[in-house]
Amino acid sequence: MVDIALIILIFSLAVALAGVVVWVVQLLSKRSLADPSPPKGSTKLGVFYAFTLGMLPWKKESARLHWLVYLRGILFHLGIFAGIFVLLLSLFTSIDYPALNLVLSIILGLGVISGVAAILLRLFDPRLRAISMPDDYISPILVTLFLVAATLFVWDEPGRTFFYVSTSILCLYLPWSKVRHCVYFFFSRAIFGAMLGHRGFLMKPTSDSRRLRKETE
Amino acid sequence: MIQDNSTGLSPEILNKQLTRETAVALGGCVRCGLCADSCHYYVAKPKLEHMPVYRGEIVRRLYREIPDSITQCFRKLFKIKTNPGQSLDSMAEIAFGTCTLCRRCTVNCPIGIDTAALMRTARSIATATGKAPEILVQLADAAITRGDNLDMFRDLLLEQLKDLEQEMRQRINDPSASIPVDKKGADILFVGLSGAHTIVPPAILFHYARANWTLSLFEASNYGSFLGDVDRSKRIAQRIIDEAKRLGVKEVVIGECGHAYTVLRWEAPKWFQEALPFRVRSLIEVMAEWVENGRLTLNPDANPDPVTYHDSCNLGRNGGILEEPRLILRAAVKDFREMYFNREESYCCGGGSGMVAVSEWEDRRMEAGIPKVKQIKETGARIVVASCDNCRIQLGELSEHYGLGIKVTGLADLVSNAAIAYYRK
């Protein structure tokens, strides 16, 4: 049974990977105008900022105002990373370290709670419901299912089949769903950081922004 | 050609406009709704139509119809419940009338989705299909006509400049002061806006700084950019580029105008796909340099009233000019007070991206300006400095509408006061 599940998993992973590759190639084939304007800041520092300091919750008003929603998102994604870690581990070795199991279970469990919270929030917040489409419910349900399966598998080796099947369903759905934001995220933050870094909005060489800000405050 | 029956739009129009950056903004949104509170429209009046994610959906809806999109496979899954873009008219209405392209939502989005870029695309589609506000089209076309028939306007302009020159001489008590035009070999080509207030104060500063400058025959405004119309925008920008090349200047300095700076400094090189053969700076950057290196000395006693600064979205978030105005104000006024939020988190005043030109949207402009009104009130300032003409008009009208009792002015006005107080004999 596990062997069949493993075959399904490998097939699904291949489909997900192929789907993402096709889609990324499509995206990269679209024209992107070069920016010949002389820079005021640094594109590289802008990109660095966008992925690091710019992600800190206190740097965004949206996170400061809705810190619980932001925290939910962070816990959900930490759970996903833990789930991927468990999946990779399961392919090569058995997970039999109680301390590690406990840590993984806590992270995965918080991820499950966050996933359920996300679904409920979307169901009961009229604003979010109004801007939602079926994919906005299906995607978190499948990801949460993956996290539940990973949590069970950590403590229960026979749960491997359920874990692999739920992962397979998620993988098959991924290339056509909003789960793709896991790839879009990197493109979007890079574009955001590069453009505004180039224009000197996010980060400038120390001789400019920091010194000026220090002097004027 | 596939028609999107729900919107009556052709996805192929969008497909032609699609860049990688726009495609990322279209596909990357997870509809978390965190962007809502970052929009001044939503803060002023919290409703679904004022959420940036909702606006973005009008373009995304069209995007999902593009045949080569992989999402086509699961097309039915991606049907949104609400119908933001019932027609081309409502798409134009949302893109032009409920978004000022301020990018505050982009800064606050965890993914960095550029909804302003999507709204610019929507504006572009609306303009291409004749649905843009007529006044914006007229203003853009008027600028193009002026460029094509310069000889007709030259004498009139020179006549008007004589009066401005006279005003300048009286203010600084120096009969030798001049406003040069068409001066070959000048270092700086200064491009102002319509109105003496955008020419006389900078001219005074150029005089005191002993700059080798000349005034442009054109205005810096580029209404083509508000329309999302690259062809019109290029033609309007080309007039200034040609003039700068003809005169052989080293630098083009844009007067206090948010979008005009962003257009020539950041957008035009992309449109033309080449770096411009001269430096482009805002008057603010030039003033900051001169104040910092001592080329211009100011006496802040000339401006004793409490002053606050409004960050224009095009100069700040879109242009990277955040610290320079503050450096200048510290030297030019006695009492400078920051608004909260400021700099990258500053609220749009509600008048940007062509809104002030559309008279029938005055009510929504006044409503969208509520967050800015609150910010201004909290500072207790008597003078609000805005380095953008559209912002100045909007803030002036907000003051009148909400009884703020403030004076709205440009940065160069205060700086010229302070410079006159120091230099005038």
Side-chain angles (χ1 to χ4, degrees), chain A residues 26 28 31-32 34 38 40 61-62 64 66 122 127 130-131 133 136 176 178 180 188-189 199 201 211 213 216, chain B residues 20-21 30-31 37 42 64 68 70-71 78 82 104 108 111 265 267 273 292 318 320 323-324 330 343-345:
Chain A
Q26 270 187 11
L28 292 176
R31 72 194 165 96
S32 176
K40 185 177 180 188
E61 182 205 22
S62 56
R64 294 198 301 266
H66 305 282
R122 197 169 282 280
R127 289 180 329 161
I131 56 169
M133 58 185 74
D136 290 315
W176 294 277
K178 75 182 224 178
R180 288 189 301 180
S188 187
R189 294 301 295 177
R199 294 183 180 192
F201 164 64
R211 182 176 52 77
R213 182 169 287 210
T216 57
Chain B
R20 191 181 305 155
E21 291 76 14
V30 292
R31 291 168 292 281
D37 296 291
Y42 188 86
R64 292 182 193 115
D68 68 347
I70 201 162
T71 53
F78 292 89
T82 53
R104 197 168 190 271
N108 278 290
I111 298 180
R265 175 70 175 88
E267 302 293 344
Q273 277 300 288
E292 200 176 23
N318 290 331
E323 302 306 328
E324 293 88 341
R330 294 280 180 208
R343 296 182 172 90
E344 57 268 32
E345 291 200 315

Short mmCIF file of all heavy atoms in Angstrom, two decimals, chain A residues 26 28 31-32 34 38 40 61-62 64 66 122 127 130-131 133 136 176 178 180 188-189 199 201 211 213 216, chain B residues 20-21 30-31 37 42 64 68 70-71 78 82 104 108 111 265 267 273 292 318 320 323-324 330 343-345:
data_model
loop_
_atom_site.label_atom_id
_atom_site.label_comp_id
_atom_site.label_asym_id
_atom_site.label_seq_id
_atom_site.Cartn_x
_atom_site.Cartn_y
_atom_site.Cartn_z
N GLN A 26 6.65 30.32 -19.02
CA GLN A 26 5.65 31.25 -19.60
C GLN A 26 5.83 32.66 -19.05
O GLN A 26 5.80 33.64 -19.79
CB GLN A 26 4.24 30.77 -19.25
CG GLN A 26 3.64 29.81 -20.24
CD GLN A 26 2.17 29.52 -19.89
OE1 GLN A 26 1.57 30.18 -19.06
NE2 GLN A 26 1.62 28.52 -20.55
N LEU A 28 8.53 33.97 -17.63
CA LEU A 28 9.81 34.57 -18.03
C LEU A 28 9.83 34.94 -19.51
O LEU A 28 10.62 35.79 -19.93
CB LEU A 28 10.96 33.62 -17.72
CG LEU A 28 11.23 33.39 -16.22
CD1 LEU A 28 12.34 32.37 -16.02
CD2 LEU A 28 11.60 34.69 -15.51
N ARG A 31 7.65 39.90 -21.97
CA ARG A 31 8.64 40.97 -22.11
C ARG A 31 8.82 41.70 -20.78
O ARG A 31 7.85 41.88 -20.03
CB ARG A 31 8.26 41.93 -23.22
CG ARG A 31 7.10 42.82 -22.90
CD ARG A 31 6.54 43.51 -24.13
NE ARG A 31 5.23 44.06 -23.82
CZ ARG A 31 5.02 45.32 -23.45
NH1 ARG A 31 6.03 46.16 -23.39
NH2 ARG A 31 3.81 45.76 -23.18
N SER A 32 10.03 42.11 -20.53
CA SER A 32 10.31 42.91 -19.35
C SER A 32 11.26 44.02 -19.79
O SER A 32 12.38 43.76 -20.22
CB SER A 32 10.97 42.04 -18.28
OG SER A 32 11.32 42.83 -17.17
N ALA A 34 13.91 46.81 -19.87
CA ALA A 34 15.09 47.18 -19.08
C ALA A 34 14.89 48.60 -18.55
O ALA A 34 14.13 49.37 -19.13
CB ALA A 34 16.33 47.12 -19.95
N PRO A 38 19.51 56.23 -14.77
CA PRO A 38 20.62 56.14 -13.80
C PRO A 38 20.07 55.91 -12.40
O PRO A 38 19.13 56.60 -11.99
CB PRO A 38 21.30 57.51 -13.91
CG PRO A 38 20.72 58.17 -15.10
CD PRO A 38 19.40 57.56 -15.38
N LYS A 40 19.35 55.92 -8.40
CA LYS A 40 19.57 56.84 -7.29
C LYS A 40 19.98 56.05 -6.05
O LYS A 40 20.69 56.54 -5.20
CB LYS A 40 18.28 57.62 -7.01
CG LYS A 40 18.47 58.68 -5.95
CD LYS A 40 17.23 59.51 -5.71
CE LYS A 40 17.51 60.55 -4.64
NZ LYS A 40 16.33 61.26 -4.22
N GLU A 61 2.62 48.79 8.08
CA GLU A 61 1.43 49.21 8.82
C GLU A 61 0.40 48.08 8.84
O GLU A 61 -0.27 47.86 9.85
CB GLU A 61 0.84 50.46 8.15
CG GLU A 61 -0.36 51.00 8.86
CD GLU A 61 -1.27 51.80 7.94
OE1 GLU A 61 -1.21 51.62 6.71
OE2 GLU A 61 -2.03 52.60 8.45
N SER A 62 0.29 47.36 7.71
CA SER A 62 -0.69 46.29 7.62
C SER A 62 -0.45 45.22 8.68
O SER A 62 -1.39 44.67 9.26
CB SER A 62 -0.67 45.66 6.23
OG SER A 62 0.64 45.21 5.91
N ARG A 64 1.24 45.78 11.55
CA ARG A 64 1.07 46.39 12.88
C ARG A 64 -0.41 46.45 13.26
O ARG A 64 -0.78 46.18 14.39
CB ARG A 64 1.65 47.81 12.88
CG ARG A 64 3.17 47.87 12.71
CD ARG A 64 3.70 49.23 13.15
NE ARG A 64 3.12 50.33 12.40
CZ ARG A 64 3.67 50.87 11.31
NH1 ARG A 64 4.81 50.39 10.84
NH2 ARG A 64 3.10 51.87 10.69
N HIS A 66 -2.82 44.51 11.95
CA HIS A 66 -3.44 43.17 11.97
C HIS A 66 -2.39 42.14 12.37
O HIS A 66 -2.14 41.19 11.64
CB HIS A 66 -4.02 42.85 10.59
CG HIS A 66 -4.97 43.87 10.09
ND1 HIS A 66 -6.27 43.96 10.52
CD2 HIS A 66 -4.82 44.89 9.20
CE1 HIS A 66 -6.87 44.98 9.92
NE2 HIS A 66 -6.01 45.56 9.11
N ARG A 122 -11.95 33.47 6.34
CA ARG A 122 -12.45 33.76 4.98
C ARG A 122 -13.95 33.49 4.88
O ARG A 122 -14.68 34.18 4.17
CB ARG A 122 -11.68 32.94 3.95
CG ARG A 122 -11.82 33.44 2.53
CD ARG A 122 -10.87 32.78 1.59
NE ARG A 122 -9.52 33.31 1.65
CZ ARG A 122 -9.11 34.43 1.07
NH1 ARG A 122 -9.96 35.17 0.39
NH2 ARG A 122 -7.86 34.84 1.17
N ARG A 127 -15.96 40.79 4.03
CA ARG A 127 -15.07 41.43 3.05
C ARG A 127 -14.26 40.37 2.32
O ARG A 127 -14.17 40.35 1.10
CB ARG A 127 -14.08 42.37 3.73
CG ARG A 127 -14.61 43.63 4.29
CD ARG A 127 -13.46 44.41 4.92
NE ARG A 127 -12.44 43.52 5.47
CZ ARG A 127 -11.19 43.87 5.76
NH1 ARG A 127 -10.81 45.10 5.55
NH2 ARG A 127 -10.32 43.01 6.25
N ALA A 130 -16.29 38.16 0.06
CA ALA A 130 -16.69 38.82 -1.19
C ALA A 130 -15.58 38.81 -2.25
O ALA A 130 -15.87 38.84 -3.45
CB ALA A 130 -17.12 40.25 -0.90
N ILE A 131 -14.33 38.80 -1.80
CA ILE A 131 -13.24 38.83 -2.79
C ILE A 131 -12.70 37.42 -3.06
O ILE A 131 -11.69 37.26 -3.74
CB ILE A 131 -12.07 39.75 -2.34
CG1 ILE A 131 -11.55 39.33 -0.97
CG2 ILE A 131 -12.48 41.21 -2.38
CD1 ILE A 131 -10.25 40.00 -0.56
N MET A 133 -12.72 33.30 -4.23
CA MET A 133 -13.18 32.38 -5.25
C MET A 133 -12.97 30.97 -4.71
O MET A 133 -12.31 30.80 -3.67
CB MET A 133 -12.41 32.60 -6.54
CG MET A 133 -10.93 32.44 -6.40
SD MET A 133 -10.05 32.85 -7.91
CE MET A 133 -10.16 34.62 -7.90
N ASP A 136 -9.70 29.96 -3.21
CA ASP A 136 -9.29 30.53 -1.94
C ASP A 136 -9.68 29.64 -0.75
O ASP A 136 -9.14 29.82 0.35
CB ASP A 136 -9.92 31.93 -1.76
CG ASP A 136 -9.30 32.94 -2.72
OD1 ASP A 136 -8.08 32.94 -2.85
OD2 ASP A 136 -10.06 33.69 -3.36
N TRP A 176 -2.03 24.87 -10.64
CA TRP A 176 -3.18 25.62 -11.15
C TRP A 176 -3.83 26.48 -10.08
O TRP A 176 -4.92 26.98 -10.28
CB TRP A 176 -4.21 24.63 -11.72
CG TRP A 176 -3.69 23.93 -12.91
CD1 TRP A 176 -3.69 24.38 -14.19
CD2 TRP A 176 -3.04 22.66 -12.94
NE1 TRP A 176 -3.09 23.47 -15.01
CE2 TRP A 176 -2.68 22.40 -14.29
CE3 TRP A 176 -2.73 21.71 -11.98
CZ2 TRP A 176 -2.02 21.24 -14.68
CZ3 TRP A 176 -2.07 20.55 -12.37
CH2 TRP A 176 -1.73 20.32 -13.70
N LYS A 178 -3.64 29.03 -6.26
CA LYS A 178 -2.94 30.16 -5.65
C LYS A 178 -1.77 29.71 -4.78
O LYS A 178 -1.00 30.55 -4.31
CB LYS A 178 -3.91 31.01 -4.85
CG LYS A 178 -4.36 30.43 -3.52
CD LYS A 178 -5.35 31.39 -2.90
CE LYS A 178 -5.09 31.59 -1.44
NZ LYS A 178 -6.01 32.54 -0.84
N ARG A 180 0.63 28.60 -5.94
CA ARG A 180 1.77 29.06 -6.74
C ARG A 180 2.40 30.35 -6.19
O ARG A 180 3.48 30.73 -6.63
CB ARG A 180 1.32 29.34 -8.19
CG ARG A 180 1.02 28.10 -8.98
CD ARG A 180 0.80 28.45 -10.42
NE ARG A 180 -0.30 29.39 -10.60
CZ ARG A 180 -0.70 29.85 -11.77
NH1 ARG A 180 -0.08 29.47 -12.86
NH2 ARG A 180 -1.69 30.68 -11.87
N SER A 188 7.76 38.61 -7.06
CA SER A 188 7.11 39.86 -6.69
C SER A 188 7.98 40.70 -5.76
O SER A 188 8.16 41.91 -5.97
CB SER A 188 5.76 39.55 -6.02
OG SER A 188 5.05 40.73 -5.80
N ARG A 189 8.54 40.06 -4.73
CA ARG A 189 9.39 40.80 -3.80
C ARG A 189 10.65 41.31 -4.51
O ARG A 189 11.13 42.41 -4.21
CB ARG A 189 9.80 39.94 -2.60
CG ARG A 189 8.71 39.52 -1.67
CD ARG A 189 7.94 40.62 -1.02
NE ARG A 189 8.69 41.46 -0.10
CZ ARG A 189 8.17 42.51 0.53
NH1 ARG A 189 6.91 42.87 0.32
NH2 ARG A 189 8.89 43.24 1.34
N ARG A 199 15.27 53.30 -7.38
CA ARG A 199 14.82 54.69 -7.26
C ARG A 199 15.23 55.33 -5.93
O ARG A 199 14.90 56.48 -5.67
CB ARG A 199 13.30 54.75 -7.39
CG ARG A 199 12.84 54.35 -8.77
CD ARG A 199 11.34 54.48 -8.93
NE ARG A 199 10.92 54.10 -10.28
CZ ARG A 199 9.73 54.33 -10.77
NH1 ARG A 199 8.82 54.94 -10.04
NH2 ARG A 199 9.41 53.95 -12.00
N PHE A 201 14.25 54.53 -2.94
CA PHE A 201 13.17 54.64 -1.97
C PHE A 201 13.41 53.76 -0.75
O PHE A 201 13.18 54.17 0.38
CB PHE A 201 11.85 54.28 -2.64
CG PHE A 201 10.73 53.97 -1.67
CD1 PHE A 201 10.26 54.96 -0.83
CD2 PHE A 201 10.17 52.71 -1.61
CE1 PHE A 201 9.24 54.68 0.07
CE2 PHE A 201 9.15 52.43 -0.72
CZ PHE A 201 8.69 53.42 0.13
N ARG A 211 22.23 59.11 6.52
CA ARG A 211 22.82 60.33 7.06
C ARG A 211 21.79 61.46 7.06
O ARG A 211 21.63 62.17 8.05
CB ARG A 211 24.04 60.73 6.22
CG ARG A 211 24.74 61.97 6.74
CD ARG A 211 25.99 62.24 5.93
NE ARG A 211 25.74 62.26 4.51
CZ ARG A 211 25.18 63.29 3.88
NH1 ARG A 211 24.81 64.36 4.55
NH2 ARG A 211 24.99 63.25 2.58
N ARG A 213 18.57 61.19 7.05
CA ARG A 213 17.52 60.94 8.04
C ARG A 213 18.01 61.29 9.44
O ARG A 213 17.32 61.88 10.24
CB ARG A 213 17.05 59.50 7.95
CG ARG A 213 15.92 59.20 8.91
CD ARG A 213 15.29 57.87 8.64
NE ARG A 213 14.48 57.89 7.44
CZ ARG A 213 13.41 57.13 7.26
NH1 ARG A 213 13.01 56.33 8.18
NH2 ARG A 213 12.74 57.18 6.14
N THR A 216 18.09 65.00 9.93
CA THR A 216 16.81 65.72 9.94
C THR A 216 15.90 65.33 11.10
O THR A 216 14.87 65.92 11.28
CB THR A 216 16.05 65.50 8.62
OG1 THR A 216 15.88 64.11 8.43
CG2 THR A 216 16.78 66.11 7.46
N ARG B 20 6.20 41.11 -17.79
CA ARG B 20 6.46 40.13 -16.73
C ARG B 20 6.04 40.69 -15.37
O ARG B 20 5.44 40.00 -14.55
CB ARG B 20 7.95 39.78 -16.73
CG ARG B 20 8.28 38.59 -15.87
CD ARG B 20 9.77 38.33 -15.89
NE ARG B 20 10.28 38.18 -17.24
CZ ARG B 20 11.54 38.41 -17.60
NH1 ARG B 20 12.42 38.80 -16.69
NH2 ARG B 20 11.94 38.25 -18.84
N GLU B 21 6.34 41.97 -15.18
CA GLU B 21 6.03 42.60 -13.90
C GLU B 21 4.51 42.63 -13.65
O GLU B 21 4.05 42.35 -12.54
CB GLU B 21 6.59 44.03 -13.86
CG GLU B 21 8.12 44.11 -13.80
CD GLU B 21 8.80 43.82 -15.14
OE1 GLU B 21 8.10 43.81 -16.17
OE2 GLU B 21 10.02 43.61 -15.16
N VAL B 30 -2.86 36.68 -3.11
CA VAL B 30 -3.57 35.57 -2.46
C VAL B 30 -4.88 36.05 -1.83
O VAL B 30 -5.52 35.31 -1.10
CB VAL B 30 -2.69 34.87 -1.39
CG1 VAL B 30 -1.54 34.15 -2.04
CG2 VAL B 30 -2.19 35.86 -0.36
N ARG B 31 -5.24 37.27 -2.09
CA ARG B 31 -6.49 37.86 -1.60
C ARG B 31 -6.62 37.74 -0.08
O ARG B 31 -7.65 37.31 0.44
CB ARG B 31 -7.69 37.23 -2.32
CG ARG B 31 -7.79 37.61 -3.77
CD ARG B 31 -8.78 36.79 -4.54
NE ARG B 31 -8.34 35.41 -4.67
CZ ARG B 31 -7.43 34.98 -5.55
NH1 ARG B 31 -6.89 35.83 -6.39
NH2 ARG B 31 -7.08 33.72 -5.60
N ASP B 37 -6.49 48.47 4.66
CA ASP B 37 -6.27 49.64 5.51
C ASP B 37 -5.15 50.55 5.04
O ASP B 37 -4.93 51.62 5.60
CB ASP B 37 -5.97 49.20 6.95
CG ASP B 37 -7.15 48.48 7.56
OD1 ASP B 37 -8.15 49.14 7.81
OD2 ASP B 37 -7.05 47.25 7.75
N TYR B 42 -10.08 53.59 1.45
CA TYR B 42 -10.69 52.64 2.38
C TYR B 42 -10.71 53.21 3.80
O TYR B 42 -11.70 53.04 4.52
CB TYR B 42 -9.93 51.31 2.36
CG TYR B 42 -10.61 50.22 3.15
CD1 TYR B 42 -11.60 49.42 2.58
CD2 TYR B 42 -10.29 50.00 4.49
CE1 TYR B 42 -12.23 48.44 3.32
CE2 TYR B 42 -10.91 49.03 5.23
CZ TYR B 42 -11.88 48.24 4.64
OH TYR B 42 -12.52 47.26 5.37
N ARG B 64 -7.39 36.06 -16.43
CA ARG B 64 -7.71 34.63 -16.35
C ARG B 64 -8.35 34.11 -17.63
O ARG B 64 -8.46 32.91 -17.84
CB ARG B 64 -8.65 34.36 -15.17
CG ARG B 64 -7.98 34.58 -13.83
CD ARG B 64 -8.89 34.27 -12.66
NE ARG B 64 -8.27 34.80 -11.44
CZ ARG B 64 -8.78 35.78 -10.71
NH1 ARG B 64 -9.93 36.34 -11.04
NH2 ARG B 64 -8.13 36.21 -9.65
N ASP B 68 -3.54 31.43 -23.31
CA ASP B 68 -2.31 30.70 -23.04
C ASP B 68 -2.01 30.61 -21.55
O ASP B 68 -1.01 30.05 -21.15
CB ASP B 68 -1.13 31.30 -23.79
CG ASP B 68 -0.76 32.68 -23.27
OD1 ASP B 68 -1.58 33.25 -22.52
OD2 ASP B 68 0.32 33.18 -23.62
N ILE B 70 -2.07 29.18 -17.97
CA ILE B 70 -2.22 27.81 -17.47
C ILE B 70 -3.48 27.69 -16.62
O ILE B 70 -4.08 26.63 -16.50
CB ILE B 70 -0.96 27.39 -16.68
CG1 ILE B 70 -0.86 25.88 -16.62
CG2 ILE B 70 -0.90 28.00 -15.30
CD1 ILE B 70 0.52 25.38 -16.27
N THR B 71 -3.92 28.82 -16.07
CA THR B 71 -5.12 28.79 -15.24
C THR B 71 -6.38 28.48 -16.04
O THR B 71 -7.41 28.16 -15.47
CB THR B 71 -5.33 30.13 -14.54
OG1 THR B 71 -5.31 31.15 -15.52
CG2 THR B 71 -4.27 30.40 -13.51
N PHE B 78 -11.83 29.52 -10.99
CA PHE B 78 -11.32 30.85 -10.72
C PHE B 78 -12.35 31.96 -10.94
O PHE B 78 -12.00 33.11 -11.06
CB PHE B 78 -10.08 31.12 -11.56
CG PHE B 78 -8.92 30.28 -11.12
CD1 PHE B 78 -8.73 29.02 -11.67
CD2 PHE B 78 -8.07 30.71 -10.13
CE1 PHE B 78 -7.67 28.23 -11.25
CE2 PHE B 78 -7.02 29.92 -9.70
CZ PHE B 78 -6.82 28.67 -10.27
N THR B 82 -18.09 37.97 -6.64
CA THR B 82 -18.53 39.32 -6.98
C THR B 82 -18.08 39.63 -8.40
O THR B 82 -17.23 38.95 -8.95
CB THR B 82 -17.93 40.35 -6.02
OG1 THR B 82 -16.53 40.16 -6.02
CG2 THR B 82 -18.49 40.19 -4.63
N ARG B 104 0.82 52.89 -1.80
CA ARG B 104 0.88 52.61 -0.36
C ARG B 104 0.50 51.17 -0.09
O ARG B 104 1.03 50.53 0.81
CB ARG B 104 -0.05 53.57 0.40
CG ARG B 104 0.25 53.64 1.88
CD ARG B 104 -0.47 54.80 2.55
NE ARG B 104 0.01 54.99 3.91
CZ ARG B 104 -0.51 54.38 4.96
NH1 ARG B 104 -1.54 53.58 4.81
NH2 ARG B 104 -0.02 54.58 6.17
N ASN B 108 2.70 47.95 1.74
CA ASN B 108 2.13 47.21 2.86
C ASN B 108 1.76 45.77 2.53
O ASN B 108 1.36 45.02 3.42
CB ASN B 108 0.90 47.94 3.40
CG ASN B 108 1.30 49.06 4.34
OD1 ASN B 108 1.77 48.82 5.44
ND2 ASN B 108 1.17 50.30 3.89
N ILE B 111 3.36 40.38 -0.02
CA ILE B 111 3.99 39.82 -1.23
C ILE B 111 4.59 40.92 -2.10
O ILE B 111 5.47 40.67 -2.91
CB ILE B 111 2.95 38.97 -2.00
CG1 ILE B 111 2.51 37.80 -1.12
CG2 ILE B 111 3.51 38.43 -3.32
CD1 ILE B 111 1.50 36.87 -1.71
N ARG B 265 12.35 61.32 -14.90
CA ARG B 265 13.50 60.72 -14.21
C ARG B 265 13.49 59.19 -14.34
O ARG B 265 14.52 58.58 -14.57
CB ARG B 265 13.45 61.12 -12.72
CG ARG B 265 14.52 60.46 -11.84
CD ARG B 265 15.89 61.01 -12.16
NE ARG B 265 16.91 60.50 -11.26
CZ ARG B 265 17.60 59.38 -11.45
NH1 ARG B 265 17.33 58.63 -12.50
NH2 ARG B 265 18.54 58.99 -10.61
N GLU B 267 10.47 57.04 -15.75
CA GLU B 267 9.67 56.33 -16.76
C GLU B 267 10.20 56.53 -18.18
O GLU B 267 10.27 55.58 -18.97
CB GLU B 267 8.20 56.78 -16.70
CG GLU B 267 7.53 56.57 -15.35
CD GLU B 267 7.37 55.10 -14.98
OE1 GLU B 267 7.49 54.25 -15.86
OE2 GLU B 267 7.16 54.82 -13.78
N GLN B 273 13.78 53.30 -24.00
CA GLN B 273 14.79 52.24 -23.89
C GLN B 273 16.21 52.76 -24.09
O GLN B 273 17.04 52.13 -24.74
CB GLN B 273 14.48 51.09 -24.85
CG GLN B 273 13.46 50.11 -24.27
CD GLN B 273 13.91 49.45 -22.97
OE1 GLN B 273 14.79 48.61 -22.99
NE2 GLN B 273 13.33 49.84 -21.84
N GLU B 292 23.01 72.21 1.44
CA GLU B 292 23.99 71.37 2.16
C GLU B 292 25.42 71.84 1.92
O GLU B 292 26.24 71.86 2.83
CB GLU B 292 23.83 69.92 1.72
CG GLU B 292 24.43 68.94 2.71
CD GLU B 292 24.17 67.50 2.30
OE1 GLU B 292 23.93 67.25 1.09
OE2 GLU B 292 24.23 66.63 3.15
N ASN B 318 7.20 56.76 -5.03
CA ASN B 318 7.53 56.42 -6.43
C ASN B 318 8.82 57.04 -6.91
O ASN B 318 9.35 56.63 -7.94
CB ASN B 318 6.39 56.86 -7.36
CG ASN B 318 5.15 56.02 -7.18
OD1 ASN B 318 5.23 54.85 -6.82
ND2 ASN B 318 3.99 56.62 -7.41
N GLY B 320 11.59 58.33 -4.58
CA GLY B 320 12.76 58.22 -3.71
C GLY B 320 13.23 59.53 -3.10
O GLY B 320 14.31 59.59 -2.54
N GLU B 323 14.16 62.41 2.10
CA GLU B 323 14.92 63.16 3.10
C GLU B 323 15.27 64.57 2.65
O GLU B 323 15.40 65.48 3.48
CB GLU B 323 16.20 62.41 3.46
CG GLU B 323 15.97 61.00 3.97
CD GLU B 323 15.00 60.93 5.15
OE1 GLU B 323 14.96 61.89 5.94
OE2 GLU B 323 14.26 59.94 5.25
N GLU B 324 15.44 64.77 1.36
CA GLU B 324 15.88 66.08 0.86
C GLU B 324 14.97 67.23 1.29
O GLU B 324 15.47 68.27 1.76
CB GLU B 324 16.00 66.05 -0.67
CG GLU B 324 17.12 65.16 -1.21
CD GLU B 324 16.70 63.72 -1.43
OE1 GLU B 324 15.68 63.29 -0.85
OE2 GLU B 324 17.39 63.01 -2.18
N ARG B 330 14.48 72.12 7.48
CA ARG B 330 15.20 72.39 8.73
C ARG B 330 16.00 73.69 8.63
O ARG B 330 16.19 74.39 9.62
CB ARG B 330 16.16 71.25 9.05
CG ARG B 330 15.50 69.94 9.37
CD ARG B 330 14.99 69.90 10.80
NE ARG B 330 14.36 68.61 11.07
CZ ARG B 330 13.40 68.42 11.94
NH1 ARG B 330 12.92 69.42 12.63
NH2 ARG B 330 12.89 67.22 12.14
N ARG B 343 6.89 60.10 5.25
CA ARG B 343 7.83 59.44 4.32
C ARG B 343 7.14 58.28 3.58
O ARG B 343 6.11 58.49 2.99
CB ARG B 343 9.08 58.97 5.06
CG ARG B 343 9.92 60.12 5.66
CD ARG B 343 11.17 59.57 6.32
NE ARG B 343 12.08 60.61 6.74
CZ ARG B 343 12.06 61.21 7.93
NH1 ARG B 343 11.16 60.87 8.84
NH2 ARG B 343 12.92 62.15 8.22
N GLU B 344 7.72 57.07 3.66
CA GLU B 344 7.20 55.96 2.87
C GLU B 344 5.79 55.54 3.29
O GLU B 344 5.09 54.86 2.57
CB GLU B 344 8.15 54.75 2.90
CG GLU B 344 8.47 54.20 4.28
CD GLU B 344 9.73 54.82 4.87
OE1 GLU B 344 10.00 56.01 4.59
OE2 GLU B 344 10.44 54.11 5.60
N GLU B 345 5.39 55.96 4.50
CA GLU B 345 4.06 55.57 4.98
C GLU B 345 3.04 56.69 4.86
O GLU B 345 1.90 56.56 5.30
CB GLU B 345 4.15 55.13 6.45
CG GLU B 345 4.90 53.81 6.64
CD GLU B 345 4.58 53.16 7.96
OE1 GLU B 345 4.56 53.87 8.98
OE2 GLU B 345 4.37 51.94 7.97
#
